[in-house]
Amino acid sequence: MTITRRRVPSLLFALGASLAALTGAAAEEAAPKEFRIGYQKIGLIVIARQQGVIEKRLAAQGTKVQWVEFQAGPPLLEALSAGSIDFGYTGDAPPIFSQAAGGNLVYVSAAAPSGDGEAILVKEASPIRSVADLKGRKVAFGRGTSAHNLLIAALEKAGLTFADITPAYLTPADAGSAFANDSVDAWSIWDPYFAVGQARSKTRVLATSGQTLDVSAYFLANRTFADKHPDVIVHSLAGLSEAAAWADGHRDEVAKALNAVTGIPYEIQKVAADRTQFGVRPLTDAILSGQQATADRFHRLGLIPRAIQVRDAVWTPPRT
């Protein structure tokens, strides 16, 4: 149920109704002077920042927005849990690791599925022809990221286990360099780094998230902040929904905006933009069940220290 331009009026109406219902509760707490959003220079969150849609919605109550950049989801979630930021956007794996560590976070909405914007790459000249051929190979990816989850799921689908490969835990930038100079055999990564890797070298895609598992990225909040200022969270989701509807029909402009922010050439950003799904989705049973399956997989492999229930970290706006 990714939002489209046809669905956005009804979604914005629902968010508007939520804001109306929260008016009484919001009046009990003074509006915050600042709303700190953690982001990576990817996708919808960059478009929302460029268009100022969240700032416009919070201006009337005197709340200013501060944007804090991160290279990946895990450090963003650390900052969110510590209260250094109030809101953020990551892939599926980082909130699981954070919740397992006792993080003070809540899921507030789901983004669109990763689809074909995340993949496991090898060089075209590589003898590796399938995921099964990764056995005994060195694979680069970020620990605790959505690319980590894709790799594990793809290995299991191919009849292998995580123990069958040698992990190289690297940031996207370092992993890109390692992949380019053949220090690793494969790379599990998301756009726009995925598109950059394809542009730099002749590559072959072994698997994408869309071919492997149905996962979402997520919008998350510091639990304490969300409970104290629910109206800010709902305003932000409404702004993001507005930006998603625009981005869905203006992919050339999305690529230009991302080019301006990241410095990655327009042609590469256009490849990424064309295969990106833009959306803000409710946290349905199906979405939460998929996230729970990921959490269970990570616990089974010993990647998180304890079993968790994802639904324990789902935010419910207070009722008046």
Side-chain angles (χ1 to χ4, degrees):
M1 289 180 59
T2 302
I3 71 162
T4 65
R5 283 170 289 177
R6 292 181 180 179
R7 291 194 66 239
V8 73
S10 60
L11 181 55
L12 291 178
F13 177 82
L15 290 168
S18 297
L19 282 170
L22 288 168
T23 300
E28 296 176 7
E29 294 285 353
K33 293 182 179 179
E34 187 175 64
F35 181 49
R36 300 161 299 177
I37 302 176
Y39 76 105
Q40 302 170 62
K41 290 182 177 179
I42 56 175
L44 175 59
I45 200 81
V46 172
I47 301 305
R49 182 188 183 192
Q50 185 201 46
Q51 296 187 342
V53 288
I54 297 175
E55 285 87 343
K56 292 172 187 175
R57 290 176 179 272
L58 297 180
Q61 64 186 46
T63 300
K64 293 186 177 180
V65 177
Q66 177 187 354
W67 295 85
V68 184
E69 183 186 344
F70 295 86
Q71 282 200 354
L76 187 155
L77 263 295
E78 289 178 13
L80 187 79
S81 182
S84 299
I85 59 173
D86 308 308
F87 185 88
Y89 164 82
T90 76
D92 57 329
I96 290 172
F97 280 79
S98 181
Q99 186 182 355
N104 187 32
L105 80 156
V106 284
Y107 295 81
V108 297
S109 189
S114 301
D116 293 330
E118 186 171 59
I120 301 172
L121 279 179
V122 295
K123 295 285 186 66
E124 189 176 72
S126 170
I128 300 170
R129 311 298 299 184
S130 69
V131 173
D133 294 335
L134 290 175
K135 186 172 183 177
R137 302 290 187 164
K138 190 173 185 179
V139 185
F141 57 94
R143 187 180 188 279
T145 65
S146 58
H148 193 170
N149 187 31
L150 166 59
L151 176 61
I152 293 170
L155 289 170
E156 291 183 349
K157 190 174 181 180
L160 302 179
T161 70
F162 189 60
D164 286 321
I165 60 101
T166 299
Y169 298 121
L170 297 170
T171 65
D174 290 340
S177 296
F179 182 73
N181 63 30
D182 297 318
S183 297
V184 297
D185 299 299
W187 184 19
S188 185
I189 191 59
W190 58 87
D191 273 328
Y193 307 103
F194 170 22
V196 170
Q198 290 181 304
R200 286 179 175 172
S201 309
K202 292 183 178 180
T203 62
R204 181 165 56 253
V205 173
L206 298 184
T208 68
S209 284
Q211 296 166 348
T212 308
L213 71 173
D214 184 12
V215 294
S216 296
Y218 292 94
F219 298 104
L220 304 125
N222 174 276
R223 183 188 291 271
T224 304
F225 182 93
D227 288 345
K228 188 175 182 180
H229 302 292
D231 56 319
V232 175
I233 302 302
V234 177
H235 271 304
S236 300
L237 293 175
L240 287 162
S241 296
E242 181 183 335
W246 178 87
D248 192 52
H250 298 81
R251 294 176 186 271
D252 284 348
E253 289 88 342
V254 168
K256 290 174 184 176
L258 292 170
N259 160 247
V261 169
T262 64
I264 295 173
Y266 163 80
E267 294 77 11
I268 296 176
Q269 288 288 11
K270 183 63 164 60
V271 171
D274 283 347
R275 62 189 174 202
T276 297
Q277 298 182 56
F278 298 99
V280 179
R281 305 190 294 171
L283 293 165
T284 63
D285 285 343
I287 288 173
L288 293 174
S289 293
Q291 185 71 342
Q292 185 64 51
T294 298
D296 293 343
R297 180 186 301 120
F298 283 175
H299 180 250
R300 185 176 70 251
L301 294 171
L303 296 173
I304 56 176
R306 63 184 180 91
I308 61 170
Q309 291 299 314
V310 170
R311 284 176 170 80
D312 291 343
V314 173
W315 182 61
T316 302
R319 296 174 181 267
T320 58

